[in-house]
Amino acid sequence: MPSVAARVTELTGREADAAVALGARHEWELHRVRLGDGSSVFVKAVVDPSADGHLDGLFRAEALGLDWLGRSFGSPVPEVLGWDARTLVLSWVEERPPSPRAARRFGHQLAAMHLSGAEEFGASWQGFVGPLPLDNTPAASWPRFYAEQRLAPYLRLAADRGALTPGDVRTVERVIDAVEDLAGDPEPPARIHGDLWSGNVLWQEDGAVVVDPAAHGGHRETDLAMLALFGLPHLDIVRDAYNEAAPLADGWRRRIPLHQLHPLLVHVCLFGAAYRTTTLEAARAALRAAG
């Protein structure tokens, strides 16, 4: 099997000198690869390309998603330099400490990305969230898209894996059944990142770069709710700046638990019952918000 550096040379046409391992995430390894001109690139590589094929399309989805996000005005994403089924090569992002100035700029960047819009809810490519497949089949309505293609599949998977009880399932099913009443006023499809937890925000001197997307046409409140789920530095500044550029609809705070329910179900599927209590709390809070 070719080395990581050799794969970078093959995919980008640029001579690569050496690869430094940066650890692993899920079923892929991370590397910093130095090029012949002294610059660096970031590389993801599938650990076992002979596996059962459940990751087929993973890097295609990320590459297409980054390209699509990158076509929005001022989009804060790395450049895709090359990819194939086993490897993804991106421009290197040198991180800086978060600052209020960068947070304000990031709020404006995120608003501009969302306002670039999407043709429909969903996407033209099969998606992934982490190592799990993500159904991006286009839909006309966000509430049904969210209920049927974001909540229901991962609720079933979490139950099948024994991480949720039948009673837990019924609680989340109540949210699915009531989603039209919980979703607020209709909004047009936004161009969203789709997995925007704080670890996928790389801070810069003036703004941020976002990575590892599950990009699709969705509801813009989803990205903002995800930023709040695990805590983002200077989140209040980000949201205030966002609201200056693209004011959020009335009641957006009440809908945060609804939008957090999908990523929490994904965490239950990936990491087990450790996320069960938080998931059920979000489901109950979403139902309470309906009055």
Side-chain angles (χ1 to χ4, degrees), residues 13-103:
R14 301 167 67 182
E15 191 65 33
D17 289 340
V20 176
L22 301 176
R25 181 176 296 178
H26 300 299
E27 298 167 63
W28 47 90
E29 297 172 337
L30 311 176
H31 301 268
R32 180 173 184 167
V33 176
R34 187 180 70 239
L35 303 180
D37 62 4
S39 63
S40 294
V41 295
F42 178 76
V43 179
K44 291 183 176 182
V46 173
V47 175
D48 182 9
S50 65
D52 62 8
H54 68 283
L55 295 180
D56 289 352
L58 174 71
F59 292 147
R60 177 179 184 271
E62 185 166 347
L64 292 177
L66 285 169
D67 178 72
W68 182 65
L69 294 176
R71 283 183 264 132
S72 61
F73 178 74
S75 179
V77 296
E79 181 183 0
V80 178
L81 303 176
W83 63 276
D84 63 14
R86 296 183 294 115
T87 311
L88 176 68
V89 186
L90 305 175
S91 58
W92 180 260
V93 178
E94 199 68 50
E95 295 185 67
R96 296 290 184 265
S99 69
R101 175 172 173 265

Side-chain angles (χ1 to χ4, degrees), residues 13 24 46 89 91 98-99 107 125 153 166 207 222 231-233 236 239 261 283 290-291:
V46 173
V89 186
S91 58
S99 69
W125 57 86
T222 295
L232 180 79
D236 287 345
R239 286 196 297 216
L261 189 52

Side-chain angles (χ1 to χ4, degrees), residues 163-261:
L164 295 179
T165 69
D168 299 338
V169 171
R170 286 191 293 273
T171 298
V172 179
E173 286 177 338
R174 289 175 59 204
V175 177
I176 292 173
D177 292 341
V179 70
E180 278 90 355
D181 296 326
L182 302 175
D185 292 336
E187 291 206 1
R191 189 170 302 220
I192 74 168
H193 179 282
D195 191 15
L196 197 55
W197 72 289
S198 58
N200 285 343
V201 178
L202 309 184
W203 290 101
Q204 304 289 280
E205 291 288 348
D206 185 17
V209 171
V210 296
V211 297
D212 294 346
H216 63 280
H219 199 301
R220 62 202 183 106
E221 290 176 13
T222 295
D223 276 350
L224 292 163
M226 188 69 172
L227 287 175
L229 185 56
F230 298 113
L232 180 79
H234 307 300
L235 177 59
D236 287 345
I237 296 174
V238 172
R239 286 196 297 216
D240 288 347
Y242 184 100
N243 258 312
E244 290 176 4
L248 291 162
D250 290 344
W252 66 268
R253 289 184 185 276
R254 296 194 305 272
R255 292 186 291 273
I256 289 174
L258 173 67
H259 288 273
Q260 290 178 340
L261 189 52

Side-chain angles (χ1 to χ4, degrees), residues 72-169:
S72 61
F73 178 74
S75 179
V77 296
E79 181 183 0
V80 178
L81 303 176
W83 63 276
D84 63 14
R86 296 183 294 115
T87 311
L88 176 68
V89 186
L90 305 175
S91 58
W92 180 260
V93 178
E94 199 68 50
E95 295 185 67
R96 296 290 184 265
S99 69
R101 175 172 173 265
R104 179 173 173 78
R105 171 61 179 151
F106 177 47
H108 292 158
Q109 289 175 301
L110 188 60
M113 187 176 79
H114 287 170
L115 292 177
S116 295
E119 292 185 1
E120 53 210 342
F121 296 107
S124 61
W125 57 86
Q126 172 64 37
F128 279 82
V129 55
L132 299 178
L134 191 67
D135 183 2
N136 279 338
T137 303
S141 159
W142 182 79
R144 295 322 309 167
F145 172 80
Y146 189 64
E148 296 169 9
Q149 295 168 232
R150 291 299 182 263
L151 298 183
Y154 302 95
L155 177 61
R156 289 193 298 269
L157 182 58
D160 290 346
R161 293 183 174 182
L164 295 179
T165 69
D168 299 338
V169 171

